[in-house]
Amino acid sequence: MTDAARRDELAASLAQVRERIARACVAAGRAPDEVALVAVTKTYPASDVVLLAGLGVTDVGESRDQEAAPKAAEARAAGATPRWHFIGQLQRNKVRSVAGYAGVIESVDSVRLVTALENAVAGRPEQLEVLIQVSIDGDSSRGGAAGDDLWRISDAVAATTALRLGGVMAVAPRDWEPDRAFEQLAVLAAQLAGKHPGATTISAGMSGDLEAAVRHGATHVRIGTSLLGMRNLLR
Ligand SMILES: *Cc1c(COP(=O)(O)O)cnc(C)c1O
């Protein structure tokens, strides 16, 4: 496909996604500008990031450092410097690399990770924003903090000077109704914001369940498939 054809394709799907978000906001009695779009570009090339940035997308999400680090460098070389959100399981040995390009790390789910991030960005003039990934069903095998870990991790972030606690991120568990999952997330997010007034971000909702997430207060939706197309799972 030519660049121009891909640009048209992305422009059309971006318009559809923005329309879905706007409708979901209206249905929920919220203003459309209360919900930010994070374009999840995993498995898609840097050229798509460049095209999306040209179409006005300001935030992109990636889940693997091996893929994201060179992609961010390539996009930057082509003049695209969106805010990169790291949304995948993060290993401590990747923290330094991820902190080199990410503006937000959405998948912080342990105190050990907080310490590693703090060390990686110590001395920077600006704080690095982190979200705590919550495991809604308490099964942390797919990532996410369960139970009281949320409070331990959030207190650890708040105690640093290098990191800023932005809020929470979650993925609805596969076998749950999205509404039930996001309703529960909203309760935790409200408790967190009660303890840490700056922690107002709720990153929830993907291509299949963004409407439910917006109903329950999502401030960020992370959209891949509906924007870029079906991912080839073999890649
Ligand atoms: C891949 C991914 C998304 C995007 O999912 P789609 O269903 O393609 O919109 C959102 N959040 C996380 C954590 C992901 O890994």
Side-chain angles (χ1 to χ4, degrees), residues 33-227:
D33 63 3
E34 285 179 41
V35 179
L37 169 66
V38 178
V40 177
T41 49
K42 65 188 181 197
T43 78
Y44 286 94
S47 55
D48 279 352
V49 174
V50 175
L51 290 171
L52 286 169
L55 292 166
V57 168
T58 55
D59 292 80
V60 297
E62 286 282 335
S63 56
R64 286 175 61 245
D65 177 60
Q66 300 92 304
E67 178 184 346
K71 195 183 295 185
E74 198 183 328
R76 170 186 290 273
T81 53
R83 192 158 197 244
W84 294 83
H85 294 236
F86 192 82
I87 62 174
Q89 280 197 34
L90 180 54
Q91 277 135 23
R92 276 184 302 156
N93 63 345
K94 300 291 185 194
V95 156
R96 239 160 241 288
S97 173
V98 170
Y101 55 87
V104 191
I105 301 194
E106 298 203 7
S107 44
V108 173
D109 61 0
S110 73
V111 171
R112 287 178 358 144
L113 212 42
V114 171
T115 306
L117 280 165
E118 184 184 14
N119 291 334
V121 302
R124 282 191 187 180
E126 281 188 20
Q127 289 181 312
L128 175 65
E129 181 174 349
V130 303
L131 306 184
I132 299 174
Q133 184 178 351
V134 174
S135 168
I136 293 175
D137 61 1
D139 170 8
S140 50
S141 62
R142 290 194 303 143
D148 283 342
D149 277 357
L150 172 58
W151 314 119
R152 276 190 276 277
I153 299 164
S154 56
D155 287 346
V157 174
T160 70
T161 50
L163 307 176
R164 189 171 80 72
L165 181 63
V168 291
M169 181 273 258
V171 177
R174 231 165 276 179
D175 47 354
W176 282 43
E177 280 296 324
D179 274 294
R180 175 169 166 239
F182 296 136
E183 188 176 8
Q184 196 149 312
L185 180 66
V187 171
L188 292 173
Q191 288 173 349
L192 183 71
K195 286 177 186 248
H196 303 284
T200 54
T201 294
I202 303 177
S203 174
M206 321 200 308
S207 294
D209 56 18
L210 82 83
E211 286 80 5
V214 168
R215 258 195 300 282
H216 297 286
T219 61
H220 290 67
V221 291
R222 308 176 307 270
I223 308 298
T225 309
S226 290
L227 205 49

